[in-house]
Amino acid sequence: MAAPNTPAAKTERLLNLTMTLLYARMPAPKQRIRQMVEAYRAIESDEAFDRMFERDKEDLRAMGIPLVTEDIGVFEDEQGYRIDRRDYALPPVELAADERAVVGLASRVWAHATMAGTAATAWRKVAAGDEVGEDPFVGLEPQVGGTEPAFEPLKDAVLSSTAVRFDYARPGTGGSRPRRVEPWYLTAWHGRWYLVGHDLDREAARVFRLSRITSSVTVTGDALTVPVPDDVDPVRMIAATDPSPSETVPARLRVRVGTGHGLRRRAQEVVRVDDDWDRVDVPGADLDGFVSEVVSHGGDVVVEEPSELREAVIGRLRAVATAHEGSAR
């Protein structure tokens, strides 16, 4: 448990106090609360506990939590505390049809990412009881990557503030080099994912595009030695280091009928091949970003040309398969 005066300890204490009062069947007297909340049991003197409890009560009320004080027992000066569930619960969220459409569209951003299950579950809860079909989404297909094998371990490393190692390729360098990074942010920008963090070898803040990570990500277990600076703007850093697409190529694709609306919208030509497939010619696409987009469609899109795009897509799919080899067991 964290030290009693740290922000983390205070947050944990207030959360435990809230849960205790929320689920108490009857108003709980102060001494009973002292025994039920772990952080209070560690306070030795009555005076210190009284001061802490009074501050915590005020903090809960300042946050809008309806803490109620009631007289209990046979003595008029004995008080108990509770939180009324009816006052604590949020009212039902009512969304208009266009608002539901926007929320549903946002959930589809993650359709091919590691958070797809969570997004789908959240959307089902929002749409429960409402007649929300696919009509608002026809022709719209937002993409925010997440297919790179590095995405999941880097997300976990950012959340746990743990250093990582990986091999990284810069354009025009002709190879990859190992990097040791303390991760600060994982940010999407212009359809690509970037890691912003402290490069331990260069002793400076750096930006890394996930599509250029050429190896598996190793979490070292080491805590951050450089905390996240207050003035760091990850989007501004990304824009400064990667301002424009690195390479554009025309692409010829086979797209399953009824899918790939975003690709069709940008296409120079769409020709029906048979009952199942169309040939879609996209005049120019950023190679790095286009690999992620094609991979996100799974088996609904097949690259015919150019060969470098086809090989990059196959390599990405193999890397994803390797990274998830044991997940189905």
Side-chain angles (χ1 to χ4, degrees):
M1 187 174 64
N5 294 324
T6 65
K10 181 177 180 179
T11 300
E12 181 181 354
R13 187 176 70 248
L14 292 177
L15 180 60
N16 289 338
L17 176 59
T18 301
M19 294 298 100
T20 297
L21 299 179
L22 188 62
Y23 290 98
R25 295 182 179 180
M26 301 290 292
K30 186 163 59 174
Q31 291 305 317
R32 175 62 177 160
I33 294 171
R34 186 175 183 179
Q35 295 302 315
M36 296 173 68
V37 177
E38 182 181 0
Y40 292 151
R41 294 200 299 268
I43 304 300
E44 295 182 358
S45 70
D46 293 339
E47 293 79 5
F49 163 68
D50 287 340
R51 290 194 299 269
M52 178 178 287
F53 183 62
E54 290 301 318
R55 289 196 301 269
D56 289 348
K57 286 193 304 178
E58 293 306 315
D59 287 338
L60 291 184
R61 287 172 175 145
M63 290 186 287
I65 296 176
L67 176 61
V68 178
T69 303
E70 297 180 354
D71 293 329
I72 60 173
V74 296
F75 302 104
E76 292 184 358
D77 60 347
E78 187 175 10
Q79 294 182 324
Y81 304 88
R82 67 180 178 88
I83 296 174
D84 193 315
R85 295 191 190 185
R86 293 168 297 182
D87 295 334
Y88 182 77
L90 291 174
V93 178
E94 301 292 341
L95 298 177
D98 57 342
E99 293 171 330
R100 292 196 301 271
V102 171
V103 174
L105 189 60
S107 72
R108 291 187 62 177
V109 167
W110 297 103
H112 304 287
T114 56
M115 286 170 277
T118 302
T121 299
W123 168 236
R124 284 195 296 269
K125 290 181 179 180
V126 169
D130 295 320
E131 295 182 1
V132 182
E134 288 292 307
D135 289 345
F137 310 137
V138 171
L140 296 175
E141 199 163 302
Q143 306 278 337
V144 184
T147 57
E148 294 92 344
F151 180 90
E152 186 73 14
L154 288 179
K155 171 179 70 72
D156 293 340
V158 170
L159 293 175
S160 62
S161 299
T162 307
V164 295
R165 294 196 311 266
F166 52 79
D167 292 342
Y168 189 73
R170 292 291 298 171
T173 60
S176 302
R177 294 183 178 180
R179 310 298 282 267
R180 299 184 304 133
V181 181
E182 295 182 344
W184 292 341
Y185 295 100
L186 194 59
T187 303
W189 189 73
H190 286 193
R192 309 185 193 98
W193 280 100
Y194 296 81
L195 174 69
V196 176
H198 176 71
D199 190 317
L200 288 167
D201 296 312
R202 289 155 181 78
E203 297 186 351
R206 289 291 187 269
V207 172
F208 305 91
R209 190 194 291 188
L210 265 61
S211 62
R212 292 177 181 156
I213 294 177
T214 59
S215 69
S216 59
V217 174
T218 300
V219 179
T220 67
D222 298 330
L224 303 189
T225 60
V226 178
V228 183
D230 294 334
D231 59 349
V232 165
D233 184 337
V235 173
R236 182 172 295 179
M237 288 182 61
I238 294 167
T241 58
D242 201 359
S244 61
S246 58
E247 181 183 357
T248 59
V249 293
R252 171 161 291 184
L253 314 169
R254 274 191 292 122
V255 180
R256 198 180 302 275
V257 173
T259 67
H261 300 293
L263 296 170
R264 295 171 185 274
R265 191 167 59 250
R266 304 202 310 273
Q268 189 174 41
E269 184 179 20
V270 178
V271 177
R272 178 60 57 90
V273 176
D274 53 35
D275 292 340
D276 297 322
W277 297 94
D278 292 331
R279 189 183 72 239
V280 176
D281 290 336
V282 180
D286 164 34
L287 182 60
D288 283 340
F290 202 44
V291 171
S292 297
E293 182 176 0
V294 171
V295 168
S296 73
H297 290 284
D300 291 331
V301 176
V302 178
V303 178
E304 293 186 350
E305 298 175 3
S307 59
E308 59 265 34
L309 175 61
R310 181 180 177 85
E311 291 170 3
V313 168
I314 292 173
R316 179 73 61 79
L317 290 171
R318 285 174 176 166
V320 171
T322 300
H324 294 84
E325 261 181 351
S327 60
R329 298 179 184 176

